[in-house]
Amino acid sequence: MTSTVPAPVARTADGHALQAVLLDMDGTLVDTEGFWWDVEVDIFGELGHRLDESWRDVVVGGPMSRSAAFLIESTGAAIGVAELSVLLNERFEARIADAVPLMPGAERLLSELARHNVPTALVSASHRRVIDRVLRSLGPERFAISIAGDEVPRTKPHPDPYLIAARALGAHPSRCAVVEDTATGVASAEAAGCRVVAVPSVGLIPPAPGRTVVRSLEDVDLRFLRSLITPMN
């Protein structure tokens, strides 16, 4: 899906090595990770099961199929993955019907990227139906492309979503800055060869080579993202 030999990192026409910014959605741009957990708790409560709070770290940021399968196996609930996935999407959509709360700093960052014409992609493990609804709050015009979890061969933590996004934008993964909030998303972006900014929403994400951890999007701007990509002479 991508070359195993990194392309030389050179400066772009505007003098910067950063080619694209790839952004996660839930918990990164919009404050919805808690909504997903609340919906899961409600549905399993109706099925006669109580979810353990510790499971939240397991299901956060993951693909719907994986999260659903884990919760079914952990509780023994009499429901299938496909049926549960439909219920989760329907309940979540109802929860965000009016408006989606943005994370602190999200509006400013998106506006700055648009103002400087930085190629930007929304890369999420959520399904297309959910992404399209959230885009109404984020502004679809701010993204050159959006990648949904049900539209890729393998979603996060596999590298496929970020490799596909980078290719669609004509960018090399090593020249893309990714902003993620979960360990699952970070693993996906790093496997794709991107530079990662982690803004943890649930659970801890430690710093690592090629990864920077910040407190919130209020600590992230275009200058900061450009500083992550070092051009080669």
Side-chain angles (χ1 to χ4, degrees), residues 126-149:
S126 290
H127 289 190
R128 170 55 58 188
R129 57 188 287 185
V130 171
I131 288 179
D132 286 345
R133 185 171 291 261
V134 173
L135 278 171
R136 298 176 192 173
S137 296
L138 291 174
E141 72 282 355
R142 288 168 158 171
F143 302 93
I145 188 175
S146 59
I147 305 294

Side-chain angles (χ1 to χ4, degrees), residues 40-69:
E40 289 161 349
V41 168
D42 289 346
I43 290 175
F44 277 89
E46 293 167 8
L47 294 171
H49 299 276
R50 182 175 181 178
L51 300 187
D52 191 306
E53 185 69 24
S54 66
W55 297 345
R56 185 172 181 174
D57 289 348
V58 178
V59 300
V60 67
M64 179 76 69
S65 57
R66 188 192 73 181
S67 299

Side-chain angles (χ1 to χ4, degrees), residues 76-159:
I79 190 172
V81 170
E83 182 183 0
L84 177 58
S85 296
V86 171
L87 282 175
L88 288 170
N89 277 319
E90 289 178 346
R91 295 287 183 88
F92 183 80
E93 287 184 66
R95 186 73 181 268
I96 63 172
D98 296 327
V100 182
L102 271 60
M103 297 296 287
E107 175 67 30
R108 175 198 48 77
L109 176 60
L110 290 173
S111 295
E112 184 180 17
L113 295 175
R115 189 167 61 251
H116 290 272
N117 298 312
V118 177
T120 304
L122 185 66
V123 184
S124 176
S126 290
H127 289 190
R128 170 55 58 188
R129 57 188 287 185
V130 171
I131 288 179
D132 286 345
R133 185 171 291 261
V134 173
L135 278 171
R136 298 176 192 173
S137 296
L138 291 174
E141 72 282 355
R142 288 168 158 171
F143 302 93
I145 188 175
S146 59
I147 305 294
D150 57 339
E151 296 176 339
V152 294
R154 301 179 302 173
T155 189
K156 304 174 186 180
H158 297 287

Side-chain angles (χ1 to χ4, degrees), residues 6-9 17-19 166 171-177 192-195 228-230:
V9 180
L18 177 69
Q19 286 186 333
H172 192 279
S174 68
R175 298 176 70 176
C176 294
C194 304
R195 293 301 298 261
L228 302 176
I229 313 298
T230 305

Side-chain angles (χ1 to χ4, degrees), residues 159-174:
D160 304 41
Y162 284 109
L163 291 174
I164 292 170
R167 181 186 301 149
L169 296 178
H172 192 279
S174 68

